[in-house]
Amino acid sequence: MASFVELAIPRLNTKVKVSTGLFINNEFVPSVGGADPITVYNPATEQVLCSVTGASEADVDKAVVAARNAFRTTWGKNVTGFERSRLINKLADLMERDAEILAQLECLNNGKPFKIARDFDIGDSVACLRYYAGWADKIVGQSIEIDRRTKTAVTHPDPIGVCGQIIPWNYPIMMWAWKVAPALAVGCTIVMKPSEITPLTALKLSELVVEAGFPPGVINTIPSLGSIGGAALAAHKDVDKVAFTGSTVTGRKIMEAAAKSNLKKVSLELGGKSPHIVFESADLDQAANWAALGILYNTGQDCTAGSRVYVQDTVYDKFIDILKGKAAQLAIGDGFDEKTGGGPVVSKGQYDRIWGYIEAGKKEGAKVILGGEKRSTPGWYVDPTIFTDISPNMKIVRFVNCIVQIFGPVLSVGRFSTEEEAIKLANDTTYGLGAGLHSNDQAQCHRVSSALEAGTVWINQYNLLYNNVPFGGKKQSGIGRELGSHALEEYISTKAVHWNYGEKLDWPL
Amino acid sequence: MTTFTHEFDTPVFKKKVSFPTGIFINNEFSAGVNNTTIDLVNPTTGQVVAQVSEGMPADVDRAVAAARKAFETTWGLNTPGFDRGRLLTRLADLMEENMDELAALDAFDNGKSFMMARHGDVPFSISVIRYFAGWADKNHGQTIETTEAKFAYTRHEPVGVCGQIIPWNFPLLMMVSKIGPALATGCTVVLKPSEVTPLTALRMAQLIVAAGFPPGVVNIVVGYGSTVGQAIAEHLGIDKVSFTGSTVVGRKILEASAKSNLKKVTLELGGKSPSIVFDDADLDQAVKWVALGIFGNAGQACVAGSRIFIQEGIYDKFLEAFTKHATSIKLGDPFRADSQQGPQVSQIQYDRVMGYINSGKEQGAKVHTGGSRHGNLGYWIQPTIFTDVRPDMKIVREEIFGPVGVVIKFKDEDDVVRQANDTLYGLAAAVFTKDIKRAVETANRVQAGTVWVNSMMSGNVQIPFGGYKQSGIGRENGEAALAEYTNVKAVHVNLGHTL
């Protein structure tokens, strides 16, 4: 009864097969609730790739039941850390084995360049799984002295239970790995809702989950619209925790649903409007490279995208020139083209949204020094765009800069004169995900990195993350941390056991 | 240069095995500088069956030079933790592909049963390497708040070149317990396996090359304790020595370190561990665990529960059941599937254990069962139980390292805790009771690095292990092992304090 599609990859003269059912209890099954199928697009051509089964609320219930059963019987406290480690490592090996196929699917569905998908997205994801596999048998509690004669106290790092995980479309495979790895390492079971825009790699990875040997129900995959599957998970009475990466707007809804249902634990990785500060002592060429990377990597579709660059006035003109040159060098095109450094944006919706902001900026008099013009050929393309001469009253600044993420390769550049001013400009946002500063003054680096209100601060660098360094947002950019040992905390529920073996209670008191 | 070649044709393992047994330095085998060899004796027959190249202090010098170079160029923190972890994982995978052969080599060399090696030693060893592979990229330092004027953090740096000296009782397991944490943290290694049981270490050398470790990261020098072991302990180019073996030799190592370069020292030494059986213990289970504790591995375990304390109320019943169990143990060739106890590892060990048995008899203890050689070929000794012992007897005070237990009657908790702690050693202890209060209290009061409640000899790589008192310094296994191979450097960055 398994349904699947075969997707052609013309440039590579090959086909990739993907199951298109819902993945529950290690099987691909049809929907029981009659939700509409999900149409999946190729953003480089605007053509339909295929459709996959969409999950209804009833399907979500089924998946949660499967995850709960697994947690009670074959997973959770019923499996050793050593065994969890073995399985997660096996999954990593399989991902590595199938890197080419996964990269092809990722490129086809998301648009990002094939080589980047294979070497970075998938390479980092494999390493992420291996990193957490290494933690699985090292999750310890404490034993705590009370007094020697009558009592002993210990803590148990229990797995929280059934976790709903909702991931976005900008790094489909990597976001999947970041979520499943720590949850599995600790012993939780998962109901994963990949983005309805990019469900294909999550479905393909589900096949590897079976091959690796995970018991049925440990991971379940239910592509669906956020308003159906996402909402159902967030409100579900039998889901113990929800982890979400996506927009701040949706993050609020998830938290509200958690509060109104069963007070499930919530971790959120939300948006950002991350500032890049270039001081006069910086190596300008390097700073321009990192700034270009910061806004153009993944075609700007990155929660930490450095979308605001502030340059010290003494080097402003010089820097703008260099930066413009760097940005212009990036070739945006079809992900399967060897020359491409950045792909299209992921969907029509994103395409329209980004162009809406660009048009608004132009209308309000911001100066476009690069890009800003639509292509006439097919594909949801946005070329690198740089705005300067922005003033605080402009919509693009007040509303766009500080409140709304554009989530595209659109950069606004402003100037400052003092360090205090730079810090104030950088922190003047409700977000707090990432920030970068470029300076050769060591003391300045310490002062500024300390003052920036962001969960990740890069000094003389940008964008690069590592599986063993924690990542997450301050302020309205999120709750909790991913990566590093910190991610494990999000999936652990500590139980304290007070074992009395010698104290007798006198009654009445 | 020597090679080990042997055609295994046994009921449990059939294979022709061949590999070099030279000195292993910089990923290559060669003869020792003296070009001499050491005979390997098969403990089931007493016959010489092979030769391995003998290392001398000059070979240790060569190995240290290789290890130092690797530490400064291709290893240490020059290879990121994640990559060190990958290589260790690869090594574990290769060990898994060669489980039978590794088990056969340990059984052949040491005399332990192939089945024990195949289902105990080897899988445990693989889990040790996998466990430490996972730690390689997780040895974090800290950032520490003091004042606004200071940015302080610690770096966890690998100690450097580590000399590791291991014994013959669990050859493969001892090797991986040492190289696992050392390699994970980024140290390089000069390993001296026991000259009595070097085969699995030398076979592992091939797996280390196949896994992709750079030359010089692991070096193996087989030789005698008095030459190679001493050279390692006093070497000015070695930053740390880790030793498992007798307390007597442990002292020499510590002394050599003090007299040379104050290298860091960790020691896993001997024990005279008490197994304590209370009246309310599950008798049947207690008998089995206590027997495992003293007769397992032919009593050749540092944690052997060699002083068996039985509470008065259960004494007769326990002794009867324990004796019955002891006499039912099947002594046999390691390569028979039903063998439960092998020979002692060497003539020297055999003589030593028999010496203690004789001293027990001479000092007036009663041989309740056993007390003699088993068979007339090889080094088998019968499972032996002494009763009617006094605390001053040699068999009660000193580590015998053979299948010889002394049984002592006790009254109550206070009495047995006092007796249990009346020893220079403090490696392990076991408590058998159904009363949780008594179990926890006794566990708290006994001076031992590992206390088993209702079990014995049960180890997991995640749980730290080591000795109190003269049973050792430092801990192996668990996260605790990393600290032994880590140098903590504190960095204080001044952010604004001017003079």
Side-chain angles (χ1 to χ4, degrees), chain B residues 61-81:
Chain B
D61 290 337
R62 288 195 299 132
V64 171
R68 175 65 56 195
K69 179 139 182 268
F71 182 72
E72 280 165 2
T73 57
T74 56
W75 203 244
L77 295 177
N78 302 303
T79 300

Side-chain angles (χ1 to χ4, degrees), chain A residues 302-363:
Chain A
D302 189 308
C303 47
T304 54
S307 47
R308 304 181 282 149
V309 174
Y310 297 105
V311 187
Q312 197 151 30
D313 43 20
T314 40
V315 291
Y316 183 87
D317 292 328
K318 193 161 171 218
F319 184 78
I320 289 284
D321 256 346
I322 302 174
L323 181 60
K324 182 179 166 186
K326 302 287 184 185
Q329 282 170 10
L330 186 74
I332 294 219
D334 184 307
F336 286 104
D337 186 340
E338 287 268 313
K339 294 193 277 25
T340 299
V345 299
V346 80
S347 68
K348 180 89 170 54
Q350 287 303 109
Y351 176 84
D352 288 341
R353 190 161 167 264
I354 295 164
W355 280 109
Y357 290 125
I358 293 175
E359 297 304 331
K362 281 156 78 175
K363 220 192 258 168

Side-chain angles (χ1 to χ4, degrees), chain B residues 26 117 131 135 139 254 275 287 311 326 409 414 421 432 446 480:
Chain B
N26 270 332
Y131 175 78
W135 271 124
N139 193 4
L254 196 55
S275 283
V287 165
Q311 199 166 24
K409 191 185 291 190
D414 285 343
N421 286 337
F432 296 89
V446 167

Side-chain angles (χ1 to χ4, degrees), chain B residues 56-57 59-61 64 161-166 190-192 221 224-244 248-267:
Chain B
M56 297 302 282
D59 296 298
V60 173
D61 290 337
V64 171
V161 174
C162 299
Q164 302 186 319
I165 303 168
I166 56 176
V190 175
L191 176 78
K192 182 194 106 53
V221 182
Y224 292 101
S226 53
T227 50
V228 172
Q230 186 65 22
I232 287 173
E234 57 191 29
H235 208 287
L236 296 178
I238 287 180
D239 302 297
K240 181 237 164 61
V241 63
S242 177
F243 169 80
T244 297
V248 160
V249 176
R251 289 173 182 281
K252 289 188 189 161
I253 305 249
L254 196 55
E255 197 178 328
S257 158
K259 287 181 170 165
S260 58
N261 63 346
L262 277 176
K263 54 174 63 60
K264 316 286 172 286
V265 179
T266 50
L267 303 171

Side-chain angles (χ1 to χ4, degrees), chain A residues 42-45 106-117 121 169-171 295-301 330-347 350-351 354-355 375 378-384 407-410:
Chain A
N42 178 338
T45 61
E106 191 86 315
C107 177
L108 203 60
N109 196 181
N110 167 283
K112 68 178 70 203
F114 169 77
K115 279 212 177 121
I116 290 181
D121 293 59
W169 44 258
N170 55 346
Y171 295 93
I295 188 53
L296 300 179
Y297 187 69
N298 216 41
T299 313
Q301 303 171 113
L330 186 74
I332 294 219
D334 184 307
F336 286 104
D337 186 340
E338 287 268 313
K339 294 193 277 25
T340 299
V345 299
V346 80
S347 68
Q350 287 303 109
Y351 176 84
I354 295 164
W355 280 109
R375 294 187 187 187
W380 294 313
Y381 289 103
V382 180
D383 288 296
F407 231 68
V410 182

Side-chain angles (χ1 to χ4, degrees), chain B residues 381-439:
Chain B
I381 296 179
Q382 296 171 335
T384 301
I385 300 171
F386 276 102
T387 56
D388 297 346
V389 300
R390 292 183 321 273
D392 59 288
M393 289 180 178
K394 282 180 67 167
I395 55 171
V396 177
R397 300 220 66 75
E398 297 178 23
E399 187 181 37
I400 299 175
F401 228 66
V404 181
V406 302
V407 173
I408 301 164
K409 191 185 291 190
F410 74 92
K411 264 170 62 71
D412 58 26
E413 246 179 83
D414 285 343
D415 178 27
V416 76
V417 166
R418 183 191 52 76
Q419 290 194 67
N421 286 337
D422 181 20
T423 167
L424 298 172
Y425 291 113
L427 192 54
V431 179
F432 296 89
T433 174
K434 288 186 190 131
D435 182 330
I436 180 68
K437 177 175 196 287
R438 177 185 273 166

Side-chain angles (χ1 to χ4, degrees), chain B residues 273-294 305 307-311 314 318 322 410 413 416 429-436 438-440 442-443 446 451-458:
Chain B
S273 303
S275 283
I276 303 170
V277 183
F278 286 97
D279 282 346
D280 68 333
D282 176 334
L283 180 72
D284 185 62
Q285 280 294 299
V287 165
K288 289 178 172 150
W289 285 111
V290 170
L292 178 65
I294 184 52
R307 291 181 296 150
I308 299 159
F309 294 95
I310 316 295
Q311 199 166 24
I314 204 182
F318 181 92
F322 184 48
F410 74 92
E413 246 179 83
V416 76
V431 179
F432 296 89
T433 174
K434 288 186 190 131
D435 182 330
I436 180 68
R438 177 185 273 166
V440 175
T442 310
V446 167
V451 181
W452 282 289
V453 176
N454 294 327
S455 73
M456 240 264 142
M457 296 273 271
S458 157

Side-chain angles (χ1 to χ4, degrees), chain B residues 345-365:
Chain B
V345 79
S346 67
Q347 183 72 54
I348 294 176
Q349 288 302 317
Y350 172 87
D351 290 341
R352 187 157 169 252
V353 176
M354 290 309 294
Y356 275 109
I357 291 176
N358 289 334
S359 103
K361 293 173 183 170
E362 278 159 28
Q363 290 192 302

